[in-house]
Amino acid sequence: MAVELDTENLHPATVLMIEALHWLHERYAAENVLDMGCGGGVLSALSASIWDARVLAADISPKAVEDTSMNIASHGLDGRVTVVQSDGFLSPEIAARTP
């Protein structure tokens, strides 16, 4: 069951990304997702829920990492989403998961 999102207060670009993720979900299977620049974690939560995927959510901002962690916990997705603070691809967690 996909996370229910109230898109009324979201940035228009985020709403478009939500639509894109739903479009992709209808066409492709995903087991692992990287959400680089995760912000508040909306797209991480949605990706984890629609694909039942493992998600690595990364952001350079400590506040974004905190917000994402809280959002992931509130949706009960702690076991499927790992949240890290990273400056781009420099995090060891990201390096370990990329070919």
Side-chain angles (χ1 to χ4, degrees):
M1 179 76 177
V3 169
E4 293 293 324
L5 298 172
D6 176 11
T7 59
E8 186 175 315
N9 295 317
L10 295 177
H11 189 278
T14 303
V15 174
L16 288 174
M17 284 301 302
I18 290 168
E19 291 175 14
L21 286 175
H22 284 293
W23 183 90
L24 287 167
H25 176 253
E26 293 173 4
R27 290 158 179 80
Y28 302 99
E31 294 178 9
N32 296 288
V33 174
L34 172 62
D35 184 1
M36 182 67 72
C38 61
V42 171
L43 301 177
S44 297
L46 182 61
S47 296
S49 68
I50 64 175
W51 277 297
D52 193 24
R54 291 180 343 129
V55 177
L56 180 56
D59 204 294
I60 194 169
S61 164
K63 175 72 170 132
V65 169
E66 180 183 329
D67 290 348
T68 297
S69 296
M70 288 188 334
N71 284 332
I72 294 307
S74 73
H75 289 295
L77 297 168
D78 304 67
R80 294 204 314 256
V81 180
T82 302
V83 185
V84 298
Q85 185 174 352
S86 182
D87 184 0
F89 290 91
L90 299 178
S91 165
E93 292 91 343
I94 296 172
R97 295 186 189 191
T98 54

